Amino acid sequence: MCDLIARTGRLQQRYENGCRLIAGCIPFRYRNSEETGDSNSGKVVEVLMISSSSGPGLLFPKGGWENDETVREAAAREAVEEAGVRGILMDLLGEYEFKSKSHQDEFCPEGVCKAAMYALYVKEELESWPEQETRSRTWLTITEALEKCRHAWMKCALEDGFCKWHQDKGHQLLL
């Protein structure tokens, strides 16, 4: 049984110019290449993706940014609620706009969302988490994640956001 409870509802959601504001992250870790079957020596970066509660394909944890938290707090909260992970929230990878069919409401009739996505260096995987009954989590290489990612904007966040950030700054974690 999980002691944490996921936030639900839209009363505290943030909106800006007709856009619903979203916070999320790309959780990552390093594995020894021997563990992944890679013949190269050293470390391989893996990202954590979660199943969607509304269809096929995998996602990164994300959700509404609420009035009583910072965008960074919202991203970290979503990682715990949806993926059951905690860690060090790193840099902003970028902001990504997308249209959501399931999140159209009076404040956002077009369903336009703007997601601030961060890198999250995972330090802890929880045994139980709020959405474990509706979501499964899977560690993937970047190549695997790009193939299984459900949304084009998340692929962009992974490829143009995370991969560029990791090449510039993230690899310093290995030092």
Side-chain angles (χ1 to χ4, degrees):
M1 185 70 174
C2 183
D3 295 335
L4 301 168
I5 298 171
R7 290 184 176 201
T8 58
R10 297 273 171 81
L11 295 174
Q12 297 294 319
Q13 296 288 295
R14 289 182 189 239
Y15 294 85
E16 180 181 86
N17 301 323
C19 275
R20 181 170 177 244
L21 300 181
I22 303 291
C25 63
I26 297 180
F28 72 100
R29 70 178 181 191
Y30 297 102
R31 292 302 280 279
N32 291 327
S33 58
E34 305 85 54
E35 294 175 40
T36 62
D38 187 338
S39 59
N40 296 328
S41 61
K43 300 278 185 183
V44 173
V45 66
E46 292 181 323
V47 294
L48 183 68
M49 297 190 81
I50 56 174
S51 60
S52 170
S53 56
S54 63
L58 296 177
L59 312 169
F60 294 111
K62 58 107 182 102
W65 172 17
E66 299 191 356
N67 290 326
D68 63 345
E69 61 191 351
T70 68
V71 66
R72 293 177 64 84
E73 289 169 341
R77 174 180 52 78
E78 290 295 337
V80 170
E81 288 180 2
E82 293 188 349
V85 293
R86 288 190 179 116
I88 301 168
L89 198 66
M90 309 295 280
D91 297 324
L92 176 69
L93 302 173
E95 292 182 336
Y96 303 88
E97 285 196 17
F98 63 97
K99 254 188 154 173
S100 171
K101 291 179 184 170
S102 63
H103 292 297
Q104 296 171 338
D105 59 29
E106 62 184 292
F107 302 109
C108 184
E110 300 297 316
V112 177
C113 299
K114 183 166 67 172
M117 295 294 287
Y118 291 85
L120 176 77
Y121 184 36
V122 174
K123 297 297 228 170
E124 178 184 13
E125 283 185 65
L126 303 174
E127 288 185 31
S128 63
W129 67 97
E131 296 186 22
Q132 70 184 27
E133 298 298 321
T134 56
R135 297 190 189 273
S136 60
R137 56 188 179 194
T138 307
W139 286 102
L140 303 163
T141 65
I142 301 291
T143 303
E144 292 168 333
L146 287 168
E147 290 173 9
K148 296 184 185 271
C149 194
R150 180 174 178 178
H151 300 296
W153 76 267
M154 285 190 179
K155 287 181 186 178
C156 184
L158 178 58
E159 205 164 27
D160 297 340
F162 180 81
C163 289
K164 287 180 182 175
W165 169 81
H166 188 265
Q167 186 175 9
D168 291 345
K169 293 183 179 178
H171 70 277
Q172 295 172 4
L173 294 168
L174 292 171
L175 303 176

